[in-house]
Amino acid sequence: LVPVALVALIAAQCPPVDRPGSGAQLYLSPQSNPMALSNDGTRLYVANTTSGTLTMLDVSNPFQPSEVAEIKVGHDPVGVAVRPGLVNGDELIFVVNHISDSISVVSRRRLAVVQTIQALDAEGVTQTDEPVGIAFASPSRAFVTLDHPNQVIVLDVDAQGRATIAEQRIPITAQAPRGLTVEGGKLY
């Protein structure tokens, strides 16, 4: 009992410590594949949901990973996928941002966002509401789950790595689709 009282007395006399804020308010955004390995296996890309960033780690020595960069993406990044193959010698990383309703395309070489994908209607209302999961079927096609409208959108990626949202949307009968994968030419 005496040690507890002593700790309480010392704690009461200590001035409060200002701590810097880290990240943003927690929106409880669902993560789906928040990490992805580069095509060559030397980089690990990690979505930092509360700070709105993508961390690139050098994992060429898995026993001593080191940070290469931390890149600002959209608000609440929750999913990461690497486009198969290279575009002009560069690797592209696609990051889905749940709260900002967008997909950031990050260049490994430039260490920066090179494209932001988002669809808005005539009134400026998002048509890419709450993206969560992303998976590539090929270098030219990716699929993204949309949490709120219960849909999957299709991204067509050209030879230069520019992505556009196809008009075709796949309705999902389950509520809030999140994870998805492509295996054997089929989307699951």
Side-chain angles (χ1 to χ4, degrees):
L1 201 54
V2 173
V4 172
L6 184 59
V7 168
L9 180 63
I10 293 170
Q13 295 176 1
C14 293
V17 176
D18 286 335
R19 298 190 191 274
S22 90
Q25 176 177 339
L26 298 177
Y27 291 101
L28 301 176
S29 293
Q31 290 186 330
S32 178
N33 296 325
M35 296 184 286
L37 197 59
S38 64
N39 289 314
D40 65 8
T42 65
R43 298 287 185 273
L44 180 65
Y45 306 108
V46 181
N48 303 306
T49 301
T50 59
S51 64
T53 60
L54 177 76
T55 297
M56 183 185 302
L57 299 169
D58 181 342
V59 292
S60 51
N61 179 350
F63 297 107
Q64 290 188 310
S66 61
E67 185 175 308
V68 174
E70 187 168 347
I71 302 153
K72 189 76 175 149
V73 290
H75 200 68
D76 272 24
V78 294
V80 180
V82 177
R83 179 189 174 275
L86 302 177
V87 174
N88 299 322
D90 195 8
E91 182 167 69
L92 298 177
I93 305 97
F94 285 61
V95 182
V96 291
N97 306 300
H98 191 250
I99 298 297
S100 59
D101 298 337
S102 65
I103 302 139
S104 300
V105 181
V106 176
S107 161
R108 175 177 171 170
R109 185 181 332 145
R110 295 182 193 162
L111 302 176
V113 173
V114 294
Q115 183 184 6
T116 300
I117 305 161
Q118 184 176 38
L120 302 174
D121 68 12
E123 285 83 39
V125 177
T126 184
Q127 298 301 297
T128 47
D129 195 18
E130 299 180 345
V132 179
I134 183 166
F136 275 89
S138 69
S140 61
R141 174 142 300 172
F143 298 95
V144 179
T145 58
L146 299 180
D147 194 18
H148 178 65
N150 303 326
Q151 296 176 338
V152 173
I153 59 171
V154 179
L155 297 180
D156 291 321
V157 185
D158 68 18
Q160 299 306 307
R162 297 283 305 167
T164 55
I165 300 171
E167 285 191 40
Q168 172 191 9
R169 288 175 178 247
I170 304 166
I172 303 293
T173 56
Q175 183 176 355
R178 298 193 175 151
L180 73 168
T181 189
V182 177
E183 293 295 329
K186 294 183 180 180
L187 175 65
Y188 295 96

